[in-house]
Amino acid sequence: MRLAVLLSGRGSNFAAIHEAIGRGELAAEIAVVVSNVRDAGGVQRAREWGYRVELLPQGEFESRARHEEAVLSVLLAAAVDLVILAGYMRKLSPLFIDAYRNRILNIHPSLLPAFAGVDAQRQALEHGVKIAGCTVHFVDETLDGGPIIVQRAVAVHDSDDVASLSARILEQEHIAYVEAIARVVAGCRVEGRRVVSG
Ligand code: GRF
């Protein structure tokens, strides 16, 4: 399976996927890394590891639609099977989502459907939940609302702040993303809201 990794930031989830492929745990290859942020940490890592990198900052395009067309044409040219959103801070249009229906994965740092949207770890802490975690899901037109592929939970400690809770969740994100891609590679199906093994 050919993956495109889309990122805007430090790229630790991208690194976890790269390492899992290197260990032979995923029957997949990263065909291209796309970033809308020129100096993202993930871009640096991608270059060091010799991946094809496409930098597409939205400011260089006349509209949101033109920017997205550029991203889509990179994915098409790279014959990508799966689109991996790894801290990609752009909302995708319905057109984009439809072009890769059930082939776009996102990771969110909460146990969805709780705490969708920004600052999920802070939302969880402020709500007072005792169990937090992360979710890898297919992307649909709803905000963090697509069918769930993998979730992993962590305990919230009394002493936690946003930084410590985020760090504990992030460790699980790295495991969850690899598990989720492995499920997709193994042929899981979407039945209504449920993702079931093929
Ligand atoms: C992660 O917390 C992920 O859940 C969220 O964005 C962050 C990306 O981190 N969607 P990284 O760039 O993969 O380190």
Side-chain angles (χ1 to χ4, degrees), residues 9-14 86-87 106-109 121 170 173:
R10 70 194 155 187
S12 72
N13 279 287
F14 158 52
N106 183 45
I107 188 155
H108 183 76
Q121 303 95 329
L170 191 64
E173 290 187 34

Side-chain angles (χ1 to χ4, degrees), residues 128-178:
V129 294
K130 302 302 181 201
I131 304 285
C134 61
T135 303
V136 184
H137 63 93
F138 287 115
V139 172
D140 67 10
E141 288 79 0
T142 62
L143 175 67
D144 299 324
I148 291 169
I149 308 165
V150 166
Q151 293 187 299
R152 293 184 72 91
V154 304
V156 180
H157 302 159
D158 291 349
S159 58
D160 269 330
D161 57 16
V162 175
S164 64
L165 180 59
S166 300
R168 193 172 317 113
I169 293 172
L170 191 64
E171 283 176 20
Q172 298 305 312
E173 290 187 34
H174 298 159
I175 301 167
Y177 225 151
V178 173

